[in-house]
Amino acid sequence: MIFWLIAIAVTAIACAALLYAGRGRPVNAAVDESADTTSHFRQLLAGIDSDLAAGKINADEAIGAKGELAREMIRAKSEAKPAAAGFGRAALVSGSALVAAIALGGYALLGSPNIPAQPLASRADVAAQNMDIDAAISRIETRLAEDPNDIRGWTVLAPALVQVGRFTDGANAYGRVIALSQPTAQLLTDQAEALLLAADGAGSDEAMTLLRQATELDPTDPQPQLYLAAELTRTAKYDDAARYWQSAIDLASGAEPWLPAARQGLAVAQNDGVDATAADQAEMIGGMVESLSTRLYDEGGTIEEWTQLVRSYIVLGDLPNAQKAYDASVAAYPTAFERGELDTLALSAGLKLNGDAQ
């Protein structure tokens, strides 16, 4: 009731202000200038008479001047603008009453005047802006301790715990969500992911069980199959791993960011744990380095090419050939000024200047 009394009072004040502002009255009205205008014309008329008396103009010219002065006076009066009329009082009263009725009636229909006032500090949206994630987690945990069946609280808490590295607590929170609702492939996968993160590479039998359940619930979701394939590869169960790798690949559309890694995982599983692609890549890199080396030793090259060759040998861990290439580059470019980047690279890798002479 107090709310409605305040609302009505505020509305009445607003309507009164509208009536006061809109009633017809002069605002900052200037002094009537008609008297000044008449005086001006009288002075001009007196001037014409004075010129006639002094002989400056004759009688005909005086009559003509007075006629022109009369026309100017008539024109000035016709151009005078009347003051703007204000709104009619009846229109203002009706409009104000209509505004008040719409405002109060609309709030009565759409608003919630019976809800008690909520302090700003306790509002969830404001609190979320002023808290960091740890404080938010603490607040949610306190609330869940009072109401452990609040599924919305557990749903918010579970990923937040995983985000801050509390993986075991996050897995337990996902378990509460599943217990209070029903298991879905995504929830089971999320809980399994938290368990695997908590295991820190050691694996989790519980996580494997959850991932298999997720795959059974939704065979079209590649995420649990990817986790299964990776864990089975880690534990050297290559046949089962290859099956899950292939299943996940078959579900891909071709643009997924995980697809290249899945294909590599499949190749490793099919090769009994040996990463043939890595060996192929190393062989390809070695062939490129050998080709560059042969050309530089036979034909020479730029300092940038020698630097690339030395860097390649260092990356491959072949320091003897890196030293040999460095010596050849020093012979080709004896001025130290030209070898600034190359000398820095070589010396930082443990190579020696003029190593072949030592």
Side-chain angles (χ1 to χ4, degrees), residues 312-326:
S312 298
Y313 280 130
I314 292 173
V315 170
L316 292 174
D318 190 352
L319 293 184
N321 274 323
Q323 181 66 64
K324 180 182 177 182
Y326 181 42

Side-chain angles (χ1 to χ4, degrees), residues 167-168 170-179 182-198 204-219 221 223-228 231 244:
F167 303 126
T168 301
N172 293 334
Y174 277 118
R176 288 295 299 160
V177 175
I178 294 171
Q182 59 181 0
T184 65
Q186 187 61 57
L187 286 173
L188 293 171
T189 302
D190 290 338
Q191 186 181 16
E193 179 184 26
L195 289 169
L196 291 173
L197 290 171
S204 168
D205 292 337
E206 183 182 359
M208 297 297 285
T209 300
L210 293 170
L211 291 169
R212 288 190 173 93
Q213 291 176 0
T215 301
E216 292 174 359
L217 282 176
D218 187 1
D221 185 358
Q223 187 179 8
Q225 300 188 42
L226 290 170
Y227 278 118
L228 283 169
E231 281 300 296
Y244 281 113

Side-chain angles (χ1 to χ4, degrees), residues 130-188:
N130 297 324
M131 288 191 301
D132 58 22
I133 187 169
D134 291 327
I137 288 174
S138 177
R139 181 169 180 163
I140 296 172
E141 287 178 324
T142 300
R143 190 176 302 170
L144 287 173
E146 299 172 356
D147 183 10
N149 294 325
D150 181 7
I151 186 173
R152 292 178 60 185
W154 290 111
T155 301
V156 173
L157 181 63
L161 290 171
V162 173
Q163 182 178 346
V164 298
R166 293 172 55 184
F167 303 126
T168 301
D169 292 336
N172 293 334
Y174 277 118
R176 288 295 299 160
V177 175
I178 294 171
L180 292 172
S181 56
Q182 59 181 0
T184 65
Q186 187 61 57
L187 286 173
L188 293 171

Side-chain angles (χ1 to χ4, degrees), residues 239-321:
D239 291 339
D240 291 338
R243 178 166 55 85
Y244 281 113
W245 283 124
Q246 187 63 61
S247 178
I249 292 171
D250 292 341
L251 292 171
S253 63
E256 289 80 359
W258 50 262
L259 191 55
R263 288 171 175 160
Q264 184 175 0
L266 176 61
V268 171
Q270 290 175 337
N271 202 33
D272 293 334
V274 178
D275 190 354
T277 58
D280 292 342
Q281 290 176 357
E283 183 179 354
M284 179 182 66
I285 294 172
M288 294 172 62
V289 172
E290 185 63 28
S291 175
L292 176 62
S293 174
T294 300
R295 181 170 64 82
L296 290 178
Y297 281 115
D298 291 346
E299 304 174 7
T302 65
I303 188 62
E304 288 79 10
E305 290 175 321
W306 281 109
T307 302
Q308 181 182 354
L309 180 62
V310 173
R311 180 183 289 109
S312 298
Y313 280 130
I314 292 173
V315 170
L316 292 174
D318 190 352
L319 293 184
N321 274 323

Side-chain angles (χ1 to χ4, degrees), residues 50-66:
S50 297
D51 290 341
L52 178 61
K56 295 180 180 180
I57 58 174
N58 56 35
D60 293 336
E61 291 174 341
I63 293 173
K66 290 180 179 180

